[in-house]
Amino acid sequence: MIKLMKMELKKHSLGWYFSSAFVASLCSIALLVLINYVETPSEVPLRDLDEALVIVGAFARVTCVILSGVLVAKLIVEEYKNKTIFILFSYPISRKKLLGAKLLFITILTFITVFVTNLLSAGLLMLLNSYLHFIPGNADTAFLLKQLLSMLTFSVATAGTSIIPLYFGMRKHSVPATIVSAIVIVALISSHNPEFSIASIVYVPLALAVVGVLIAAWTIRNVETADVG
C-alpha cells in the first residue's frame, strides 16, 4: 500500500497543490489585517484572537477541501472517464488495493496540508498581532494547547470530508461535479459571523467525515464489479 502511494506521489506533480495552499494562507492573513483597517473605529471587526483563529482555520479548510476535490477528480474520476483506470486494473494487483491506496493518499495528504497550513497561518497571525496589536487577547500556554488540539481535530475531520466529492463525481464520471460538490460542502461547513459560526462547530465536519469514510468503503467494496466502460 505504501509503495502504491509513493507511486501516486511520483506520478503526479503536486507543486500546484502546495503553492495554492500557501498562497491561500497568506491571503487569509492579509484579509484579516485589511479588515481591521477598513472597518470604522466604532465597529469591532474581530472580537478576540480566538475568533480570528476560527476564521484562519476555516480559510485553511476551505482551500484544502477544494484542492482535495481537484485531486479526487484528477486521480480517480478522470481516470475512470478516460478509461486509463482500466490499465491499472490490468496489473496483477487487487483493484481494491489500488483504489484504496489512491483514497488513502488523498486523505493523508489532505490531513497534513490542512494541519500545516492552519498551523503556519495561525502562527503568522499571532506573530503579526504581537507587533501590530490589531486583535484583542493574549495567547498563553492553555490557549495555544487548546488551539493545537482544535487544529488536529478539524484536520482529521477535513481529511474524511474531502472524500465526499468522490460520490458525486463517480455518478457520471464527471470532473466538474466532483469539484462543484467540494465547493458546496465547504460553503456549508465554513460559514462564520459574530452571532453564529458553523466554522467553529467541529461536530459538523466530524459527521461529514464519517460519511466520507462510508463513501470510500462503499466505493472500494464495489470496485471489483464496477464498469469501467
Side-chain angles (χ1 to χ4, degrees):
M1 188 71 82
I2 294 176
K3 288 182 179 178
L4 291 173
M5 287 192 286
K6 286 182 178 178
M7 285 176 58
E8 291 293 338
L9 185 60
K10 291 179 180 178
K11 183 179 175 183
H12 301 280
S13 175
L14 296 176
W16 62 271
Y17 181 90
F18 297 115
S19 59
S20 298
F22 179 72
V23 170
S25 300
L26 294 181
C27 289
S28 68
I29 300 299
L31 182 61
L32 288 177
V33 175
L34 185 63
I35 287 174
N36 178 68
Y37 290 102
V38 169
E39 295 288 352
T40 61
S42 60
E43 297 176 313
V44 181
L46 296 169
R47 290 174 300 184
D48 52 34
L49 199 53
D50 189 50
E51 183 183 14
L53 294 183
V54 167
I55 297 173
V56 166
F59 262 102
R61 295 192 293 277
V62 166
T63 303
C64 292
V65 170
I66 293 175
L67 290 176
S68 296
V70 176
L71 273 184
V72 169
K74 188 177 180 64
L75 271 62
I76 301 176
V77 176
E78 200 169 66
E79 292 224 42
Y80 271 92
K81 182 181 178 182
N82 297 333
K83 301 180 182 178
T84 52
I85 196 77
F86 184 73
I87 299 174
L88 287 178
F89 288 165
S90 66
Y91 294 165
I93 304 174
S94 164
R95 286 187 179 191
K96 290 182 179 180
K97 199 170 182 179
L98 284 168
L99 188 57
K102 285 177 175 288
L103 290 171
L104 192 59
F105 174 75
I106 294 169
T107 304
I108 292 175
L109 188 64
T110 302
F111 168 78
I112 294 173
T113 308
V114 172
F115 181 73
V116 172
T117 302
N118 199 346
L119 189 65
L120 291 178
S121 301
L124 181 58
L125 179 68
M126 287 189 285
L127 180 63
L128 285 174
N129 194 50
S130 66
Y131 289 101
L132 302 177
H133 305 290
F134 59 97
I135 303 172
N138 296 315
D140 55 17
T141 303
F143 177 83
L144 293 176
L145 288 175
K146 176 190 169 188
Q147 294 300 326
L148 188 62
L149 180 61
S150 175
M151 288 179 200
L152 280 170
T153 308
F154 270 108
S155 298
V156 171
T158 305
T161 302
S162 67
I163 300 300
I164 294 179
L166 175 68
Y167 172 77
F168 298 96
M170 289 296 284
R171 289 173 63 88
K172 292 186 178 179
H173 299 165
S174 169
V175 170
T178 310
I179 298 173
V180 169
S181 62
I183 294 172
V184 171
I185 289 168
V186 293
L188 292 174
I189 66 175
S190 301
S191 63
H192 171 81
N193 65 64
E195 302 301 326
F196 182 71
S197 171
I198 295 180
S200 63
I201 303 174
V202 71
Y203 299 108
V204 175
L206 280 176
L208 291 176
V210 173
V211 175
V213 171
L214 293 175
I215 288 172
W218 175 76
T219 306
I220 292 172
R221 192 191 68 173
N222 294 333
V223 69
E224 296 289 356
T225 57
D227 180 14
V228 298

